Amino acid sequence: MNLKVIDTGNFKLDGGAMFGVVPKVIWQNLNPADENNLCNWAMRCLLVEDGNRLILIDTGIGGKQSDKFYSYYYLNGDQSLEKSLHKAGVDFGDITDVLLTHLHFDHCGGAVKWNTKRDAYELAFPNAIYWSHPEHWNHALYPNVREKPSFLEENILPISQSGQLKFIPDDLKLSDNISMLLANGHTEKMMCPKIKIGDKTLVYMADMIPSAAHIPVNYVMGYDIRPLKVMEEKAAFLKEAVDNNYLLFFEHDNAIECATLGYTDRGIKAIQKGKLSDFI
Ligand SMILES: [Zn+2]
């Protein structure tokens, strides 16, 4: 089992949307906003070598949208999916499995690209099985009003048309070492992979706890479809995480890749924060 961080670059989202009802005077010190109230967020994917499989968890925003679309998100940073895979010594054709936690564009955009003639879409990972949750897939095909701008047809239809789509089995296991925690607060049936590495367990938090700043139970994003459910799921997860000494991996935290948690007199807090390589 070997893990590598795949940094696909940063984007900006409104701080208010990211922190919901938490006032700016509280979040702005740790998460400074620019003159447009935008905060900078990572799109951090994870490459897992598990036996003879090379599994990529999420794919970032991708490169096929229009300039106008990208102008809303202020892409920045030196890294991209291509560069980070290259740095890891991996080609797109080497990936055997792409696990999409959910189908919001900042998680699955890199899974589909233009063909060389730019007249049709094709899968970015030609030899991979693409994994989704069946109920999430149906949810994304017929989106509610809130999530409609996040589920882009061009990220979804080419995957089903390719014949490379598979749904995670009922036991929620991708392999002996990787199983899915399901969350229904952010969207319907989001999958947060739990990865066993020796005696440690790493949990890829996706949008359940997108950054270290979102650890407190009441820090709920404006994007979440069921805010009370997020709080319930997060409270249960945080307890499980402390009791089992999980390592949390943050997809969107601009600086902190991972954290461990502990009980304090002010509730469950991050105890150690750092890079993945500090922990594994
Ligand atoms: Zn999302």
Side-chain angles (χ1 to χ4, degrees):
M1 182 67 75
N2 186 12
L3 272 65
K4 282 182 183 156
V5 172
I6 299 295
D7 175 356
T8 72
N10 302 329
F11 70 144
K12 292 188 177 186
L13 291 172
D14 188 275
M18 284 299 278
F19 289 105
V21 299
V22 179
K24 185 175 180 183
V25 288
I26 294 180
W27 58 254
Q28 69 179 353
N29 293 333
L30 285 177
N31 300 271
D34 69 12
E35 65 280 10
N36 294 318
N37 209 44
L38 301 169
C39 301
N40 205 13
W41 304 97
M43 288 176 283
R44 183 178 295 113
C45 307
L46 189 62
L47 182 66
V48 184
E49 190 182 340
D50 184 8
N52 53 12
R53 292 166 81 178
L54 258 185
I55 302 162
L56 180 64
I57 302 174
D58 280 352
T59 62
I61 199 167
K64 67 183 173 305
Q65 305 309 135
S66 66
D67 290 346
K68 187 176 175 200
F69 177 90
Y70 289 126
S71 74
Y72 299 130
Y73 298 103
Y74 301 87
L75 303 190
N76 65 95
D78 296 331
Q79 296 307 319
S80 66
L81 179 60
E82 290 80 357
K83 280 193 204 170
S84 294
L85 286 176
H86 186 72
K87 207 165 89 184
V90 169
D91 283 329
F92 283 80
D94 298 335
I95 300 290
T96 60
D97 303 81
V98 174
L99 182 104
L100 299 170
T101 60
H102 63 302
L103 295 161
H104 289 164
F105 62 78
D106 51 319
H107 298 256
C108 69
V112 175
K113 60 172 188 164
W114 286 111
N115 67 3
T116 42
K117 285 200 253 164
R118 287 184 76 86
D119 61 0
Y121 297 115
E122 64 184 19
L123 298 198
F125 301 93
N127 302 315
I129 296 170
Y130 281 55
W131 296 95
S132 181
H133 189 283
E135 290 170 49
H136 180 71
W137 189 269
N138 283 333
H139 174 82
L141 282 182
Y142 306 101
N144 57 56
V145 178
R146 171 166 290 187
E147 289 181 279
K148 205 172 168 51
S150 296
F151 289 129
L152 309 180
E153 243 180 30
E154 59 271 34
N155 284 337
I156 299 173
L157 300 184
I159 299 177
S160 51
Q161 288 157 2
S162 71
Q164 288 170 239
L165 172 66
K166 270 197 185 177
F167 293 126
I168 203 82
D170 290 344
D171 66 4
L172 301 176
K173 276 172 142 318
L174 184 64
S175 75
D176 287 344
N177 301 309
I178 306 176
S179 61
M180 303 301 146
L181 175 79
L182 290 185
N184 290 301
H186 176 63
T187 182
E188 183 74 22
K189 302 284 186 302
M190 179 172 69
M191 300 192 287
C192 299
K194 272 185 183 174
I195 305 166
K196 268 199 260 169
I197 313 138
D199 58 352
K200 291 198 170 88
T201 300
L202 176 146
V203 186
Y204 186 92
M205 296 314 311
D207 282 345
M208 185 181 178
I209 302 181
S211 77
H214 290 86
I215 291 172
V217 169
N218 59 328
Y219 277 53
V220 172
M221 292 191 286
Y223 302 107
D224 296 333
I225 61 170
R226 302 181 185 105
L228 294 176
K229 190 80 189 161
V230 170
M231 293 190 233
E232 194 182 293
E233 288 173 343
K234 211 197 287 190
F237 172 76
L238 290 175
K239 189 173 180 312
E240 182 187 333
V242 180
D243 292 347
N244 294 284
N245 200 25
Y246 290 165
L247 179 61
L248 278 59
F249 184 93
F250 302 114
E251 188 163 8
H252 288 310
D253 196 301
N254 207 14
I256 301 163
E257 290 178 2
C258 288
T260 56
L261 304 176
Y263 292 110
T264 74
D265 49 10
R266 291 187 300 132
I268 293 174
K269 300 268 179 200
I271 298 295
Q272 269 187 299
K273 301 174 190 172
K275 302 265 178 212
L276 177 65
S277 54
D278 299 335
F279 295 93
I280 287 175

